């Protein structure tokens, strides 16, 4: 079956959807989170409610503050 | 002459953090700790600042180990913490721990790759090869071997 050819409006809408999805993905990647990776490279999320999560975030924030203070 | 150049290029613990910063413009600062958790190298020249960052880097992995000690997996080798305004990435081997503070928007996969590449080189793996600008290049034949030396990505050795 032949695919229906898209008009300029559909193509523009498709592009906009793609860009919106990219922006959403980038925002999601920058959300506060803790990921750990095993030696094989598999990632595992430390859940926000998990023990130690807040301490890890705290230490990381202190590191950023430390670096920002001398820039 | 070749021997002298080789010795000069060997990555030492003192230069590892600076090497990492040279690989990625997203790295704001980096520190290297030894197996005992002592500071062995920093991208920053200020000793006190480097020491403070080193202490935090050691604490980071202590907290990671505490948070994951009940997991039925091997201890994490790498960690990524995204916080408002930036991110912290860490990677370790039995001998070394390398931690970097990165700018917001740094690509996680690349950061983790670079960390592992620098540690790999420090452990005696092949030297990371970096691409050079056209102006720096020495003229040479257009062979595949020559082109391969211009790979834009660092290479992991022996892995």
């Amino acid at each position: 079956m032949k695919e229906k050819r898209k008009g300029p409006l559909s193509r523009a809408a498709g592009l906009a959807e793609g860009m919106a999805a990219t922006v959403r993905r980038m925002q999601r990647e920058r959300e506060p989170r803790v990921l750990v990776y095993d030696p094989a490279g598999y990632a595992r999320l430390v859940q926000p409610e998990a023990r130690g999560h807040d301490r890890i975030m705290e230490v990381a924030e202190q590191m950023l503050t430390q670096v920002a203070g001398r820039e | 002459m070749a021997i002298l150049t080789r010795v000069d290029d060997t990555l030492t613990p003192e230069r590892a953090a600076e090497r990492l910063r040279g690989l990625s413009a997203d790295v704001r600062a980096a520190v290297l700790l030894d197996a005992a958790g002592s500071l062995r190298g920093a991208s920053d020249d200020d000793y006190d600042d480097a020491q403070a960052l080193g202490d935090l880097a050691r604490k980071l992995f202590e907290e990671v180990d505490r948070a994951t000690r009940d997991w039925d997996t091997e201890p994490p080798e790498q960690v990524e913490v995204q916080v408002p305004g930036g991110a912290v990435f860490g990677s370790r081997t039995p001998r070394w721990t390398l931690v970097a503070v990165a700018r917001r928007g740094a690509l996680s996969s690349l950061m983790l790759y670079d960390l592992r590449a620098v540690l790999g080189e420090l452990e005696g793996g092949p030297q990371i090869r970096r691409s050079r600008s056209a102006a720096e290049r020495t003229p040479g034949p257009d062979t595949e071997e020559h082109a391969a030396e211009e790979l834009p990505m660092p290479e992991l050795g022996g892995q």
Side-chain angles (χ1 to χ4, degrees):
Chain A
M1 199 172 86
K2 260 189 173 176
E3 198 178 318
K4 199 176 172 186
R5 184 175 282 183
K6 285 182 177 176
L9 272 178
S10 305
R11 281 204 300 271
L15 272 173
E17 275 173 26
M19 283 169 68
T22 304
V23 170
R24 279 197 301 273
R25 183 174 52 78
M26 285 169 72
Q27 283 171 342
R28 213 168 36 239
E29 281 178 1
R30 290 174 193 171
E31 278 171 11
R33 62 178 183 179
V34 179
L35 275 168
V36 294
Y37 299 81
D38 71 11
Y42 290 108
R44 195 165 160 178
L45 188 71
V46 178
Q47 297 293 337
E49 64 277 10
R51 180 192 63 201
H53 175 274
D54 291 350
R55 278 296 299 146
I56 296 171
M57 294 292 290
E58 226 174 277
V59 174
E61 281 170 9
Q62 284 173 22
M63 293 182 83
L64 252 84
T65 307
Q66 169 78 23
V67 171
R70 65 193 191 212
E71 278 183 344
Chain B
M1 185 65 180
I3 292 171
L4 284 176
T5 305
R6 175 86 186 158
V7 168
D8 191 45
D9 284 347
T10 304
L11 183 62
T12 61
E14 291 73 26
R15 288 168 50 207
E18 193 51 55
R19 172 70 61 95
L20 180 69
R21 197 156 68 168
L23 282 176
S24 170
D26 286 324
V27 174
R28 296 165 74 184
V31 286
L32 179 80
L33 311 176
D34 63 17
S38 304
L39 183 71
R40 291 297 304 276
S43 59
D44 201 297
D45 291 336
D46 186 296
Y47 178 80
D48 291 338
D49 282 344
Q51 194 66 51
L53 200 62
D55 289 345
L56 288 168
R58 191 184 62 245
K59 206 181 285 182
L60 180 75
F61 266 105
E62 282 172 3
E63 294 297 341
V64 166
D65 286 337
R66 193 168 296 147
T68 60
R69 70 180 164 209
D70 294 337
W71 291 12
D72 56 352
T73 55
E74 289 181 65
E77 187 182 277
Q78 295 189 297
V79 62
E80 168 192 345
V81 189
Q82 295 286 344
V83 290
V88 175
F89 297 90
S91 189
R92 62 183 172 181
T93 67
R95 289 177 64 198
W96 305 108
T97 298
L98 186 57
V99 177
V101 177
R103 288 176 217 291
R104 187 177 152 81
L107 278 178
S108 308
S109 51
L110 281 181
M111 285 299 310
L112 294 167
Y113 186 93
D114 286 346
L115 282 163
R116 197 177 278 186
V118 171
L119 286 180
E121 189 181 348
L122 198 56
E123 296 279 5
Q127 193 183 358
I128 300 165
R129 288 184 295 187
R130 282 177 289 179
S131 58
R132 288 169 292 166
S133 67
E136 287 177 297
R137 282 183 210 151
T138 50
D142 287 335
T143 63
E144 282 186 15
E145 195 180 333
H146 192 73
E149 289 174 8
E150 302 302 323
L151 284 173
M153 295 286 294
E155 290 187 342
L156 271 182
Q159 307 207 2

